[in-house]
Amino acid sequence: NGLIYGTTLQGGNNGYGTIFEYDPETGTFVTKASFDYSKGAYPYANLIQTDNDDIIGTCTSGGAYGYGTLWKFDASTGTITKLKDFDQYTTGSYPYHGVMQASNGKLYGLTFQGGPGNYGTLYEFDPITNSFTLLHSFNYGSTGAYGIGKPVEVDGKLYGVTYQGGSTGNGTIFEYDPGTST
C-alpha cells in the first residue's frame, strides 16, 4: 500500500511496544496497535511482509508463558493476531531476531535460549497452515548455542550462526536443509 510499518520496543497503551504506520509522501506517523502482554511484549526484531502480504513479527517476551510470541498484523484493521507462544522447554524462548521467508514459502527463525537443551532452537512456521515445527534444538558442543540473527537461504538450504558453543566455545555457523530435514 506504499506505507511503511515498524515497531517500537516499548511504549503504547500498555508499555509493551507498538506497531506504527508511516506515510513517506505525507510524513504522517500513526500508531496502529499496542501490544498487550498476552499477544507479546517488546517487539525487538524487524517485520517481514510475506508472499501473501501478511506482516509478521516476533516479540521477545510475553505471551502465555512469558518467553515471546510470533504474530501477524492486519494493517487494514489494526489487529495483532498471535500465531505462536514460545515456551522455555519445547519450542525455545526469546526469538530476538524475527523470521525470514524461504523460497518454499515457510518462515524460519531462531530462538536465543530454550528448547530441550536450553541452548536455543531453529524453527519453521507455515503461514498457510499456521503450523509450527521445531527443526533443531542446539546442544552447545557440536551445533552451538544461542542462535542470533535470522537464517539466510542459499540454494534451498538455510545458514545461520550461534553466539557460543561449538568446538571452541565461540559459536558456530550451521547449515540446515529443509528438504531433507538435516
Side-chain angles (χ1 to χ4, degrees):
N1 63 9
L3 303 174
I4 297 169
Y5 294 91
T7 59
T8 63
L9 180 62
Q10 297 178 353
N13 296 339
N14 306 300
Y16 296 120
T18 67
I19 298 175
F20 65 83
E21 175 184 271
Y22 177 72
D23 186 334
E25 288 188 24
T26 65
T28 306
F29 179 92
V30 177
T31 299
K32 296 292 285 183
S34 291
F35 285 92
D36 62 31
Y37 199 80
S38 68
K39 291 182 182 169
Y42 312 120
Y44 183 77
N46 293 334
L47 305 176
I48 67 161
Q49 183 176 9
T50 64
D51 293 340
N52 63 356
D53 291 331
D54 284 337
I55 297 171
I56 306 282
T58 59
C59 281
T60 61
S61 188
Y65 309 106
Y67 294 105
T69 61
L70 176 70
W71 49 267
K72 74 177 178 179
F73 174 68
D74 184 330
S76 64
T77 64
T79 304
I80 300 168
T81 303
K82 181 172 55 175
L83 301 172
K84 181 67 180 172
D85 285 300
F86 289 93
D87 68 82
Q88 185 173 6
Y89 299 109
T90 58
T91 62
S93 55
Y94 311 121
Y96 286 114
H97 301 284
V99 295
M100 59 80 68
Q101 186 169 31
S103 59
N104 63 7
K106 296 179 181 177
L107 308 179
Y108 295 90
L110 298 169
T111 64
F112 188 72
Q113 290 181 324
N118 203 30
Y119 292 116
T121 63
L122 170 67
Y123 64 89
E124 171 187 272
F125 185 82
D126 187 330
I128 303 301
T129 62
N130 286 333
S131 60
F132 179 93
T133 305
L134 176 65
L135 300 176
H136 179 74
S137 180
F138 293 103
N139 64 15
Y140 196 90
S142 62
T143 61
Y146 314 122
I148 58 173
K150 294 180 194 178
V152 296
E153 181 180 20
V154 178
D155 297 329
K157 294 181 181 178
L158 302 176
Y159 295 87
V161 296
T162 64
Y163 178 68
Q164 290 182 349
S167 61
T168 65
N170 295 317
T172 62
I173 299 172
F174 66 86
E175 174 188 275
Y176 183 85
D177 186 341
T180 62
S181 300
T182 57

